[in-house]
Amino acid sequence: MAFTAACASPDATTPGSSSNSGGPFTIGLANQQESVTFPAAITKGAKDKAAQLGDKLVSLDSQGDQQKQASQVQDLIAQQVSAILLVPLSPGPAQALVDQASAAGIPIATVHGYVGADRAVDDPYSKLKFVLDENEAESGATAGQMALKAFPAGGQVAVITGAPGFVENTTRVTKFQAALDGAGAGKYKIVANQPGNWTKQDGQSACQNILAANPAVGLLYAISDDMAVGCAAAVKSAGSSAKVIGIGGSAAGIEGIKSGELYGTVCYKPYDEGGMAVQMMHDALAGKTSTPPKTTFYDTPGVTADNVSSCVPQW
């Protein structure tokens, strides 16, 4: 799997490193919501890599609650863990958590998310050790290019976002819409945008509502595979011919492509991401890396029936 990095501004500072440079280390993982399959896969990858390295992983699940995540980060600080990996629920509140860890001298990095509202993804918050993520904006662009091929005649399009408040609701949609707009004025029109709350059930409900109100919709873009699979069920139930595109490369999404129920997705690898995050933090604590904070992306190719075997699901 290919990885690329975008460096932060040169005046960024690096948080202090652990005095136990040889390890083993105790690394805290403050995750989003492990009842959701994607963050759960991040945890599994992180646990397996920590065991391989001889480190201890303290994994905490915020269950989608911002206040609970804040409390858990404070608990990790009180435990004086060697470092913290934060899977942030929202970039704004997450900055305060990074500030607290940094003030306590505990290195902290973000995985599958960013810190600081309105910050450019290639300019990480200076108190972070690093940022590891999918390139969400470019994934939206990839989905947009797939949409042009799936629905070349143009027409009505609908978007199904995640739960309210998630930055992905913007980052995965902006360049998707730009791709449609680039096809020519008025060729594609987004006629509906509803939340699917990241789940198959709510995705199906949202798409049922959209198709009932807009039966001419020819393409549904759900910003996660779970919701896309729900949309595919809604399309079948409504007798619609609309194409469905998701994001994530999940087992359900890949199976949907193989069965023809989904047109395509973007291949994410959360298990690898969790493992890479632990390896990166371990190396930083061991003094093997000392660069200013930077954002690292891994390769997330588009997947359709033509290349579906190239994406092995990790969630």
Side-chain angles (χ1 to χ4, degrees), residues 161-179:
T161 56
F166 279 78
V167 68
E168 290 87 351
N169 294 336
T170 299
T171 54
R172 295 185 187 181
V173 174
T174 301
K175 287 193 174 183
F176 172 82
Q177 183 165 358

Side-chain angles (χ1 to χ4, degrees), residues 11 13 60 71 111 138 192 197 223 228 240 274 279-280 293-294 302:
D11 60 346
T13 58
L60 302 176
S71 177
V111 186
E138 291 307 316
N197 299 316
I223 70 167
S240 170
Q279 182 71 67
M280 291 170 69
K294 63 183 180 182

Side-chain angles (χ1 to χ4, degrees), residues 199-254:
T199 69
K200 175 183 175 181
Q201 293 77 11
D202 287 354
Q204 181 172 350
S205 178
C207 287
Q208 285 173 338
N209 293 338
I210 288 169
L211 290 170
N214 305 277
V217 163
L219 186 134
L220 294 156
Y221 169 48
I223 70 167
S224 82
D225 281 353
D226 285 347
M227 297 187 297
V229 170
C231 282
V235 166
K236 185 176 181 179
S237 177
S240 170
S241 60
K243 301 292 179 62
V244 181
I245 292 173
I247 279 187
S250 71
I254 296 301

Side-chain angles (χ1 to χ4, degrees), residues 264-288:
T265 188
V266 180
C267 189
Y268 282 7
K269 298 186 177 180
Y271 177 87
D272 288 355
E273 186 175 16
M276 186 183 182
V278 169
Q279 182 71 67
M280 291 170 69
M281 186 58 83
H282 176 94
D283 289 347
L285 293 169
K288 295 180 180 179

Side-chain angles (χ1 to χ4, degrees), residues 113-150:
Y114 305 98
V115 164
D118 301 321
R119 293 188 70 88
V121 297
D122 60 351
D123 180 25
Y125 187 48
S126 63
K127 294 180 182 180
L128 287 167
K129 202 69 172 174
F130 59 81
V131 174
L132 173 62
D133 203 359
E134 301 78 16
N135 192 330
E136 302 284 17
E138 291 307 316
S139 294
T142 298
Q145 292 303 314
M146 283 194 287
L148 301 182
K149 293 179 181 179

Side-chain angles (χ1 to χ4, degrees), residues 13-306:
T13 58
T14 303
S17 61
S18 170
S19 59
N20 182 20
S21 60
F25 305 110
T26 298
I27 299 173
L29 174 62
N31 209 341
Q32 287 178 343
Q33 189 170 356
E34 292 183 4
S35 61
V36 176
T37 48
F38 193 98
I42 291 176
T43 294
K44 188 175 189 304
K47 284 182 176 178
D48 288 352
K49 177 57 71 173
Q52 178 186 335
L53 295 171
D55 291 337
K56 177 182 179 181
L57 188 79
V58 179
S59 176
L60 302 176
D61 177 11
S62 75
Q63 300 176 327
D65 185 323
Q66 185 67 61
Q67 186 173 356
K68 187 169 186 177
Q69 184 166 74
S71 177
Q72 289 175 340
V73 169
Q74 290 161 7
D75 288 344
L76 291 171
I77 293 170
Q79 292 177 41
Q80 297 184 320
V81 295
S82 306
I84 296 172
L85 297 171
L86 173 65
V87 186
L89 283 162
S90 181
Q95 182 169 324
L97 306 184
V98 173
D99 288 343
Q100 291 170 26
S102 179
I106 296 176
I108 183 168
T110 59
V111 186
H112 186 55
Y114 305 98
V115 164
D118 301 321
R119 293 188 70 88
V121 297
D122 60 351
D123 180 25
Y125 187 48
S126 63
K127 294 180 182 180
L128 287 167
K129 202 69 172 174
F130 59 81
V131 174
L132 173 62
D133 203 359
E134 301 78 16
N135 192 330
E136 302 284 17
E138 291 307 316
S139 294
T142 298
Q145 292 303 314
M146 283 194 287
L148 301 182
K149 293 179 181 179
F151 190 34
Q156 295 184 9
V157 176
V159 175
I160 297 83
T161 56
F166 279 78
V167 68
E168 290 87 351
N169 294 336
T170 299
T171 54
R172 295 185 187 181
V173 174
T174 301
K175 287 193 174 183
F176 172 82
Q177 183 165 358
L180 301 187
D181 293 344
K187 184 173 182 180
Y188 295 92
K189 182 180 180 181
I190 295 178
V191 297
N193 185 317
Q194 290 190 23
N197 299 316
W198 304 117
T199 69
K200 175 183 175 181
Q201 293 77 11
D202 287 354
Q204 181 172 350
S205 178
C207 287
Q208 285 173 338
N209 293 338
I210 288 169
L211 290 170
N214 305 277
V217 163
L219 186 134
L220 294 156
Y221 169 48
I223 70 167
S224 82
D225 281 353
D226 285 347
M227 297 187 297
V229 170
C231 282
V235 166
K236 185 176 181 179
S237 177
S240 170
S241 60
K243 301 292 179 62
V244 181
I245 292 173
I247 279 187
S250 71
I254 296 301
E255 183 57 36
I257 293 173
K258 290 179 178 178
S259 70
E261 294 178 349
L262 267 63
Y263 178 83
T265 188
V266 180
C267 189
Y268 282 7
K269 298 186 177 180
Y271 177 87
D272 288 355
E273 186 175 16
M276 186 183 182
V278 169
Q279 182 71 67
M280 291 170 69
M281 186 58 83
H282 176 94
D283 289 347
L285 293 169
K288 295 180 180 179
T289 58
S290 58
T291 59
K294 63 183 180 182
T295 300
T296 298
F297 300 122
Y298 64 84
D299 188 32
T300 53
V303 181
T304 64
D306 293 337

